[in-house]
Amino acid sequence: QVQLVESGGGLVQAGESLRLSCSATGRSFWLAKMGWYRQAPGKTRELVADITSGRAENYAESVKGRFIISRDNIKNTVYLQMNSLKPEDTGVYYCNFRFASSDVWGQGTQVTVSS
């Protein structure tokens, strides 16, 4: 069973950067579609960015040009580089693993952006 552990969240000021990491156990990481989602207080969870096994990237309109998703299949890790952060980027960020019938979520990491 795949397990995901996120890290890298924190409190920053608007305009600053953070890099989130998500490390996965298991042998099928390189085959999986990996994604970052976020959930703000009182809102539903939304896709931020995802990356396929072939490294095709997809971004929410609200983060295009500011966030970059990448993966390291040797380290079984997916990253989310977040630049020019805005207060509306505040939320709990979750890592997601999808391959075949597996759909696994991490525990989440809090990102808070102050104005």
Side-chain angles (χ1 to χ4, degrees), residues 50-52 55-59 67-70:
D50 58 31
I51 184 167
T52 68
R55 301 182 185 272
E57 302 167 25
N58 175 53
Y59 296 92
F67 290 11
I68 300 172
I69 190 170
S70 61

Side-chain angles (χ1 to χ4, degrees), residues 29-82:
F29 177 86
W30 65 283
L31 293 170
K33 184 175 188 177
M34 300 299 300
W36 286 99
Y37 291 72
R38 68 186 178 194
Q39 187 164 16
K43 295 188 177 181
T44 58
R45 193 174 296 186
E46 63 176 358
L47 175 69
V48 176
D50 58 31
I51 184 167
T52 68
S53 58
R55 301 182 185 272
E57 302 167 25
N58 175 53
Y59 296 92
E61 285 295 326
S62 61
V63 306
K64 280 183 179 178
R66 299 188 298 123
F67 290 11
I68 300 172
I69 190 170
S70 61
R71 65 190 298 160
D72 184 333
N73 290 340
I74 302 299
K75 295 182 178 180
N76 275 17
T77 301
V78 62
Y79 304 97
L80 185 68
Q81 177 67 43
M82 305 187 293

